[in-house]
Amino acid sequence: MEPTIRGLHTTQTVVTHPAQWEVLLALSRGPQGVIGLWRQACGQHWWCVCRGLWQLQRHQFVTFHWHQRQWQLTPTGETLRPILNAIQTCTANQKGGKTHDL
């Protein structure tokens, strides 16, 4: 249990902005372009999404593939999947089980 708590604490110190969490949650569903990410980042300005992507890339959580023109989680970002799945489950439960609204 201790490594999990330490990993969560580390993640919380790196991922500090709501736009970053929204980008990570969107990318946990698969690779996406920046416009798709912006549309899914409810209420976030486009520059917040771009800044969030840049910060996540700097910490090696996401990467951009030029040929596909899409962002996706890196292997380091994939280690966040249990946290992202837990957030999605909690959000779905709060919305009455409607996972498509995430």
Side-chain angles (χ1 to χ4, degrees), residues 20-29 84-85 87-88:
Q20 291 174 311
W21 284 110
E22 298 216 17
V23 165
L24 286 170
L25 288 168
L27 289 176
S28 71
R29 294 183 213 111
L84 299 173
N85 289 341
I87 292 170
Q88 289 174 331

Side-chain angles (χ1 to χ4, degrees), residues 1 17 23 30 32-34 36 41-42 58 62 69 80 89 91 93 98:
M1 186 73 167
H17 195 274
V23 165
Q32 300 191 35
V34 72
C42 306
R58 201 177 80 202
V62 299
R69 294 185 179 151
L80 301 177
T89 300
T91 304
N93 288 341
K98 299 177 184 174

Side-chain angles (χ1 to χ4, degrees), residues 6-100:
R6 213 171 328 133
L8 179 59
H9 179 67
T10 302
T11 302
Q12 288 174 330
T13 59
V14 172
V15 184
T16 57
H17 195 274
Q20 291 174 311
W21 284 110
E22 298 216 17
V23 165
L24 286 170
L25 288 168
L27 289 176
S28 71
R29 294 183 213 111
Q32 300 191 35
V34 72
I35 299 298
L37 290 172
W38 177 58
R39 287 183 182 144
Q40 291 182 49
C42 306
Q44 298 293 332
H45 296 288
W46 67 269
W47 64 83
C48 290
V49 173
C50 292
R51 184 179 63 200
L53 283 166
W54 176 76
Q55 290 169 339
L56 291 169
Q57 184 180 31
R58 201 177 80 202
H59 292 291
Q60 300 177 347
F61 287 126
V62 299
T63 188
F64 184 74
H65 290 283
W66 289 99
H67 295 293
Q68 293 94 359
R69 294 185 179 151
Q70 292 185 330
W71 290 89
Q72 76 175 50
L73 294 175
T74 62
T76 303
E78 287 289 339
T79 64
L80 301 177
R81 193 163 292 281
I83 296 168
L84 299 173
N85 289 341
I87 292 170
Q88 289 174 331
T89 300
C90 289
T91 304
N93 288 341
Q94 289 177 349
K95 292 184 177 187
K98 299 177 184 174
T99 57
H100 65 278

